[in-house]
Amino acid sequence: MDSSAVAPSTPRWNLDRPFLTGRFHQDTIFTSESRGFIADSFDARLDKAIGCYHASIQELIVIDDLLSALVGIEGRYISIKRVRGKEDTVAFQVDPSMGLTLQESAKRIFPLCESYLLINQFVESRSLSKHGLVNHAFAAALRALLLDYQALVAQLEHQFRLGRLSVQGLWFYCQPMMGSMQALSIVIRKVSANNFIGSTVLNLLQSQAKAMAGDHVVRSLLEKMIQCANAAYLRILERWVYEGVIDDPYGEFFISENKSLQKESLAQDYDAKYWQQRYSLKDDVPSFLATAAETILTTGKYLNVMRECGHNIQVPVAENSKLTSVGSNHHHLECIKAAYDYASGELLNLIKEKYDLMAKLRSIKHYLLLDQGDFLVHFMDIAREELSKKPDDISAEKLQSLLDLALRTTAAAADPCHEDLACCVEKTTLLKRLNTLKDLEISQTVSDSNELEEQLSITGLETFSLSYKVQWPLSLVISRKALTRYQLIFRFLFHCKHVNRQLCAAWQMHQGVRRLDMQGIAISVSSLLCRSMLRFINSLVHYLTFEVLEPNWHVMHNRLQTAKSIDEFAIFPCLFVCLMLFGGLKGIGKSIADIIFFARKKVERLKLLCLRYAAAIQRLITSSVDIPTGIVSNGSLETEKYKRLKLRSRSQTLKLAPENASVIESILKFERDFSAELQSLGPILSNSSRAEPYLTHLAQWILGVGKDQ
C-alpha cells in the first residue's frame, strides 16, 4: 500500500471483544498444554467418551458435531485446535475413542470446515479500512458466498432434526462445495501471507481461475469473485480515464502520481521529467488491462493537462459504456479506446486552436532558425560593440533593449509573438555546450575540442543566443529540451552570419584597394582566398537552411496537420547534417557518428581560419593605405567613400615593411591551411552521404571551392 494513503482506524471494540465478530474460537486463550494435539483432552471435559455409545448413537453425535464444525463451532467430541508454530492455522481433532469408520468420514469433511474458518477470518480481517477497496469488494463477495453456505448448513441441520441425514448423506451434500471452498482458500492464504492489495489480488484470482479451467463450477465461482473485486478497481479506473482524477485512497491503482514534479519545470529544466514521471505506471498492472496500460496512462494525462489549463473536460459516457457495467475484457478495451480518442482530440484542439501552436512554431522558425533574418542584420549592426566584449562584461539589459529596437523597426514588428523573444549570453562556446548535454551521443571528450578554442578571449559573438518564452500547455510540446536544441542551431547560424559579415568586410576592402592598381602577389592571393572562404560559408549556410531545415520543417508541419495526439508531434526533426554539428544520432552506427564528429570539428576549424584571416587582411590593407577617419563603418568600408582611399607615403611603407612581410606570410599560411582543411572535409562528407543523400550537394560545393584554390 502507498505509504501516503491514510486509512480510517477500526473500532477498538472490534479487537477487544472477539465474541462480537465470530472469531472467538480463534482468539481463545489456550494453555501451553492445549496448544498441541492431546489425546485425552476430551476426557477432561466429558463424563463419557464417545466410544462408550452404540455405533448408531455415535453417528448421531458425530453428525451434530460436524454441523457445528461446518460453521466454525466446536462440538462435544470434535474440537478446534491451533497448529503449533502456525498461529493463523487451525485443525480439527476428533475423540480417539470414536469408531474408525466415523473418524474417516469426519476427516473427509474437515477440509471444508477449515476452509470456512479461513474464509470467515479473511472476511472479518480484510473488511478493515486499511486493506483497500479491492479486498473490501472481495470480502463482500465472500460474505455473500458464506451466506449461501450457511443456508446449506441450516438445511442440512433441518434434515438432521427430521432424522433424514446420515454421515454419508452429509458428505454427499458437502462434496460439491469442497472444490470451490478449497480453491478460494488457496487464494486467501496467498493474499494473507503476503498482505496483497489492489491489482495483485486481481491477478492472483485471474491465475487461480486459469488453473481451474478443467472444473467449470469452480471456474465460474472464481470468475464471479473476479467480477465483484474488479468493480471497486474499475471505479478508480473510470475516474481516471473519464475525468483524469486518481481517486485512490489506499494506493491500489497501477498509476502513481509524483506531486513534487511541477509543470513549470518544462520551461526551465533541460532534463525535466514532468511528462514522463508526474504520472507513471507501477509494476503491478492488472493482467486484463496490461495491453491497454499505456493508453490508460496517456488518457488520464491528457485530461489532467486540460484541467491544469482550467478546462474541466469530462469524457461523455453512455450507460452501456461504463467500465463497471457487466462485460468482457473486450468491452473494457473498447471503452478505454473511446475515452482516449476523445481526450486526445480535445487536447489537440485546445493546443492548436486556443493556444495557437502553429503561430508559436512559425515564430520560432522566424527567429531561431533565421527564416526572416532582417531583424538580425539590424541587431548585429547596432549591437556590434556590446557583442565584442567578453561574456562577463556584456550587459544583458542593454542587449535586450537593442533587440527590442531591432524587432520594432523591422518586419518582425508585425509578429504578435515577437515579445516572447529574449537575449541570453552563454558562458561557454558551442562545442563545450554540446559536450555538456547528456542526451547527445558524442564519442569524443571535451578536451578534444580544446584546440578549436585557442582564442585569447571569447566574445559575445561566440556565446550570444536567443531565448523564447513558452507558457503551459505549449511547454509540453516546446519543452526546454526542444528550445535548447533550437538555440544550438541558432548559435551555429548566428556565428556563420558573423563570419560571413567579417569576410564581406574584407572583400569590400579588396574592392576598395583594387582601384588604386596596387600590384602584389599577396593582395591577389588574398582576394582569391577571400572569395573561396565566402563561397564556403555561403554554401554551408545555404545547405543548412534550404536543404536541411526547410524540407524537414515542411515534413514536421504536415505531420502536425494530421497528428491525432500531442505525442506524435516531432517538434525538432532529426536533422542529419545539423547533428554533424550538434552530436550523434540514435540509430546511426559508431563509424558514422565518428565521421559526424570529425566533420563538425573541421567545420569549426574552417570558421576559425576565416575569422583570423579577416582580421589579418584588415591589418594588411590598413598598413598599405591611408583610411581617413569615418571611412570604416561597422568594420567595413563604405563603397561610396572608396575614392577617398590613397596609398601611404614611401617612408611610411618602409617603416611598416617588416610587419607587412609577416602579414603576407600569414596570408599565404592561411591559404595553405584553408585548402588542406577543405580538401580533407570533402571526402568525409562524401562518405557520409550514404546516410544522408543531401550531403552529396554540400560535398560537391566544398570540393568545387577547393578546386578554385
Side-chain angles (χ1 to χ4, degrees):
M1 182 183 296
D2 189 353
S3 59
S4 62
V6 179
S9 60
T10 184
R12 185 67 184 173
W13 56 261
N14 201 29
L15 302 176
D16 294 342
R17 304 179 66 183
F19 280 87
L20 296 178
T21 68
R23 293 176 55 189
F24 57 90
H25 52 76
Q26 301 169 43
D27 296 326
T28 303
I29 305 299
F30 290 98
T31 62
S32 58
E33 291 80 11
S34 62
R35 285 187 179 272
F37 297 144
I38 303 174
D40 58 351
S41 60
F42 296 95
D43 296 339
R45 298 180 299 163
L46 302 174
D47 294 335
K48 295 176 64 176
I50 192 173
C52 300
Y53 296 101
H54 189 269
S56 59
I57 302 299
Q58 288 188 34
E59 182 177 5
L60 294 176
I61 295 173
V62 168
I63 293 173
D64 187 46
D65 282 2
L66 284 174
L67 290 172
S68 299
L70 285 172
V71 291
I73 301 174
E74 286 186 326
R76 289 173 294 175
Y77 297 97
I78 297 178
S79 62
I80 302 174
K81 302 292 183 181
R82 286 183 177 174
V83 178
R84 189 185 301 274
K86 298 181 180 179
E87 295 299 326
D88 295 331
T89 304
V90 296
F92 287 81
Q93 180 184 3
V94 298
D95 188 342
S97 64
M98 185 185 299
L100 294 178
T101 303
L102 290 175
Q103 285 191 37
E104 292 301 321
S105 298
K107 289 179 180 179
R108 287 190 298 179
I109 300 176
F110 284 168
L112 181 60
C113 302
E114 294 171 1
S115 296
Y116 171 82
L117 282 176
L118 184 62
I119 294 173
N120 188 56
Q121 180 184 0
F122 180 84
V123 169
E124 293 177 2
S125 63
R126 288 307 188 272
S127 295
L128 301 180
S129 299
K130 65 180 181 179
H131 294 292
L133 298 177
V134 172
N135 276 326
H136 294 172
F138 184 30
L142 291 174
R143 187 181 290 110
L145 175 67
L146 292 182
L147 288 176
D148 293 339
Y149 172 85
Q150 290 166 354
L152 172 64
V153 174
Q155 292 173 357
L156 292 175
E157 184 179 9
H158 179 67
Q159 294 296 316
F160 173 66
R161 300 304 177 194
L162 296 177
R164 300 175 183 174
L165 186 65
S166 64
V167 173
Q168 293 300 324
L170 181 61
W171 165 246
F172 175 79
Y173 288 114
C174 290
Q175 194 172 0
M177 288 285 292
M178 191 78 70
S180 300
M181 298 290 278
Q182 287 183 340
L184 289 173
S185 298
I186 293 173
V187 176
I188 287 171
R189 284 193 180 93
K190 292 180 180 179
V191 172
S192 300
N194 299 282
N195 199 26
F196 286 155
I197 64 168
S199 56
T200 312
V201 177
L202 299 179
N203 290 337
L204 191 58
L205 284 169
Q206 291 275 4
S207 61
Q208 187 64 25
K210 292 179 181 179
M212 303 302 296
D215 192 330
H216 177 71
V217 175
V218 176
R219 181 179 176 85
S220 298
L221 175 63
L222 289 172
E223 287 177 348
K224 183 173 179 60
M225 295 292 113
I226 293 171
Q227 180 181 328
C228 294
N230 271 347
Y233 201 84
L234 292 176
R235 279 192 289 271
I236 303 175
L237 179 61
E238 266 192 354
R239 292 213 65 190
W240 174 251
V241 298
Y242 292 152
E243 302 177 35
V245 176
I246 296 183
D247 186 9
D248 183 24
Y250 305 108
E252 301 173 275
F253 198 39
F254 66 90
I255 295 176
S256 62
E257 179 181 6
N258 186 355
K259 294 184 179 180
S260 64
L261 296 176
Q262 301 298 320
K263 63 180 182 292
E264 290 77 15
S265 64
L266 287 169
Q268 301 169 0
D269 185 5
Y270 179 84
D271 294 318
K273 303 297 183 183
Y274 177 87
W275 186 245
Q276 294 80 10
Q277 296 181 7
R278 174 61 187 261
Y279 297 99
S280 58
L281 295 176
K282 299 179 183 177
D283 294 333
D284 51 344
V285 179
S287 57
F288 70 97
L289 295 175
T291 57
E294 288 291 343
T295 303
I296 293 170
L297 174 65
T298 306
T299 302
K301 287 166 69 173
Y302 289 167
L303 295 173
N304 266 281
V305 172
M306 288 185 280
R307 193 171 68 251
E308 291 273 4
C309 297
H311 298 266
N312 292 323
I313 302 296
Q314 183 171 355
V315 178
V317 184
E319 189 63 31
N320 60 351
S321 298
K322 289 186 176 181
L323 294 172
T324 50
S325 61
V326 179
S328 61
N329 290 347
H330 181 66
H331 169 76
H332 296 153
L333 298 179
E334 288 181 346
C335 294
I336 292 168
K337 183 63 169 60
Y340 170 80
D341 291 339
Y342 179 84
S344 177
E346 288 295 318
L347 179 59
L348 196 62
N349 290 334
L350 181 70
I351 289 179
K352 292 175 67 175
E353 302 299 332
K354 180 177 180 179
Y355 293 95
D356 204 356
L357 173 65
M358 296 308 301
K360 290 289 184 182
L361 291 175
R362 284 193 296 269
S363 181
I364 288 176
K365 183 186 179 186
H366 292 337
Y367 303 126
L368 297 186
L369 301 186
L370 305 185
D371 182 50
Q372 293 180 354
D374 57 335
F375 85 96
L376 187 65
V377 174
H378 185 32
F379 173 74
M380 294 181 76
D381 287 339
I382 61 179
R384 180 177 181 275
E385 181 180 353
E386 193 69 21
L387 290 175
S388 299
K389 299 178 182 178
K390 295 182 179 180
D392 294 335
D393 299 332
I394 294 176
S395 172
E397 293 78 9
K398 184 175 181 180
L399 273 186
Q400 185 63 47
S401 63
L402 293 175
L403 177 64
D404 293 338
L405 177 62
L407 291 172
R408 288 194 301 268
T409 56
T410 58
D415 182 8
C417 300
H418 77 271
E419 294 182 356
D420 295 329
L421 207 61
C423 290
C424 61
V425 180
E426 302 286 346
K427 300 301 181 183
T428 59
T429 60
L430 179 60
L431 286 180
K432 279 191 174 181
R433 176 61 175 147
L434 286 168
N435 281 277
T436 61
L437 300 181
K438 299 178 182 178
D439 59 329
L440 297 180
E441 300 173 1
I442 300 177
S443 60
Q444 305 294 328
T445 60
V446 179
S447 60
D448 289 334
S449 62
N450 286 342
E451 59 180 319
L452 303 178
E453 301 171 11
E454 297 173 355
Q455 300 98 321
L456 295 178
S457 61
I458 299 174
T459 66
L461 293 166
E462 286 80 26
T463 60
F464 174 76
S465 182
L466 291 178
S467 182
Y468 199 85
K469 299 175 184 177
V470 181
Q471 302 298 327
W472 175 267
L474 294 183
S475 55
L476 283 173
V477 180
I478 313 173
S479 64
R480 170 49 53 188
K481 178 176 290 188
L483 279 176
T484 299
R485 297 189 177 186
Y486 277 120
Q487 287 176 317
L488 295 177
I489 297 175
F490 170 81
R491 288 185 63 182
F492 180 79
L493 293 176
F494 179 81
H495 195 252
C496 287
K497 290 287 186 182
H498 167 59
V499 174
N500 180 270
R501 285 167 62 88
Q502 295 301 107
L503 291 175
C504 285
W507 178 256
Q508 288 180 359
M509 284 189 173
H510 282 93
Q511 299 304 309
V513 298
R514 181 173 295 177
R515 62 170 293 276
L516 300 176
D517 294 329
M518 292 180 62
Q519 302 296 324
I521 298 176
I523 294 297
S524 300
V525 172
S526 177
S527 179
L528 292 174
L529 178 58
C530 186
R531 186 178 64 177
S532 298
M533 287 182 171
L534 276 171
R535 285 188 59 188
F536 162 72
I537 199 69
N538 289 334
S539 298
L540 179 62
V541 173
H542 180 275
Y543 169 74
L544 291 177
T545 52
F546 291 99
E547 296 204 31
V548 177
L549 291 174
E550 194 66 28
N552 280 280
W553 185 271
H554 285 292
V555 171
M556 182 187 70
H557 183 272
N558 294 334
R559 187 180 300 178
L560 290 177
Q561 300 302 321
T562 59
K564 297 181 179 180
S565 70
I566 63 172
D567 290 322
E568 297 180 21
F569 288 179
I571 296 307
F572 42 96
C574 292
L575 309 179
F576 185 90
V577 177
C578 282
L579 290 172
M580 174 184 71
L581 312 165
F582 306 139
L585 178 66
K586 292 181 179 178
I588 298 181
K590 186 177 185 301
S591 59
I592 302 272
D594 290 340
I595 291 174
I596 291 173
F597 174 81
F598 288 116
R600 180 187 66 223
K601 192 174 178 181
K602 289 186 177 296
V603 167
E604 290 301 312
R605 279 204 189 101
L606 286 167
K607 289 199 299 176
L608 183 58
L609 282 172
C610 291
L611 288 176
R612 289 178 174 176
Y613 161 77
I617 199 59
Q618 290 184 19
R619 291 176 56 195
L620 172 64
I621 293 179
T622 54
S623 66
S624 301
V625 299
D626 278 331
I627 303 178
T629 305
I631 290 291
V632 179
S633 176
N634 296 330
S636 63
L637 293 175
E638 297 180 7
T639 306
E640 64 273 12
K641 297 180 180 180
Y642 284 157
K643 296 179 180 180
R644 297 172 59 186
L645 293 175
K646 61 180 181 179
L647 289 172
R648 292 183 182 272
S649 64
R650 182 175 180 82
S651 60
Q652 291 175 326
T653 304
L654 290 175
K655 291 180 181 179
L656 297 174
E659 184 178 350
N660 292 346
S662 63
V663 173
I664 292 172
E665 181 61 29
S666 297
I667 291 176
L668 295 176
K669 185 177 185 302
F670 281 136
E671 191 274 336
R672 292 192 298 269
D673 292 344
F674 182 76
S675 298
E677 292 289 348
L678 206 60
Q679 291 299 324
S680 61
L681 178 61
I684 295 177
L685 296 178
S686 299
N687 294 334
S688 302
S689 62
R690 292 174 297 176
E692 176 53 63
Y694 286 114
L695 277 175
T696 305
H697 298 170
L698 182 60
Q700 290 173 350
W701 289 335
I702 289 178
L703 290 176
V705 173
K707 289 179 181 179
D708 291 342
Q709 297 297 311

